[in-house]
Amino acid sequence: MPKTLSPQKIWQDWDFVEKKIEKEAQWLHQNISTFLKEETSAPRGCNDCFIRKIAILIVSGGIIAKNISKSPTLKDFWINEESSKMENKIKIFHGMDWHQEKMKTIENHFLMLGFEVVREPAM
């Protein structure tokens, strides 16, 4: 016969998990940009809802998040494409112009560091 948990144990577990979710949500709010209120092309939903869903994925182990910091001596985190003389050979078709430029900057940064970059397939 399966062991049933007491209401007190369930509450303690729920409270523990909820505090972990809130901690991740606070970290996400401090470290990532979200949609602006005036953006009309943003998916339906609210910023807090998106952040909470991401936080739940982190706490549940569905995704892993890592804080990457730039060296204090660097002006910018991303390696500048123009200064590296490296061009992205494949055009990125990945949403709005802003998002395409961000994806290009991030991809070139990690290519310059010697990483392999695998793009998600274009839909």
Side-chain angles (χ1 to χ4, degrees):
M1 184 163 191
K3 182 181 173 184
T4 58
L5 296 174
S6 70
Q8 183 179 4
K9 176 67 174 150
I10 292 170
W11 175 258
Q12 287 173 338
D13 290 348
W14 175 84
D15 190 47
F16 174 77
V17 171
E18 195 58 40
K19 284 178 181 170
K20 287 185 77 146
I21 293 169
E22 182 55 33
K23 181 180 175 188
E24 292 297 336
Q26 287 174 2
W27 178 79
L28 289 165
H29 274 296
Q30 293 169 357
N31 289 287
I32 64 171
S33 299
T34 56
F35 302 110
L36 302 173
K37 288 179 184 174
E38 57 273 2
E39 261 189 271
T40 57
S41 60
R44 292 177 48 201
C46 68
N47 288 337
D48 289 338
C49 301
F50 290 128
I51 292 290
R52 180 169 172 79
K53 287 178 182 181
I54 296 169
I56 290 169
L57 286 169
I58 293 169
V59 171
S60 69
I63 60 172
I64 297 171
K66 185 174 182 178
N67 193 16
I68 304 172
S69 302
K70 74 173 181 67
S71 166
T73 59
L74 294 177
K75 178 181 160 196
D76 190 9
F77 177 81
W78 304 109
I79 295 173
N80 188 326
E81 179 186 350
E82 284 76 36
S83 68
S84 70
K85 305 289 187 230
M86 182 174 186
E87 275 294 321
N88 207 341
K89 302 293 184 217
I90 303 169
K91 186 156 177 65
I92 297 175
F93 296 99
H94 202 279
M96 297 180 346
D97 292 340
W98 174 89
H99 195 240
Q100 286 180 5
E101 287 304 311
K102 286 291 182 194
M103 295 303 294
K104 184 177 176 183
T105 300
I106 293 166
E107 181 174 299
N108 285 330
H109 170 81
F110 286 105
L111 288 171
M112 288 301 302
L113 291 173
F115 289 94
E116 177 185 0
V117 175
V118 179
R119 291 189 192 154
E120 63 184 25
M123 298 291 177

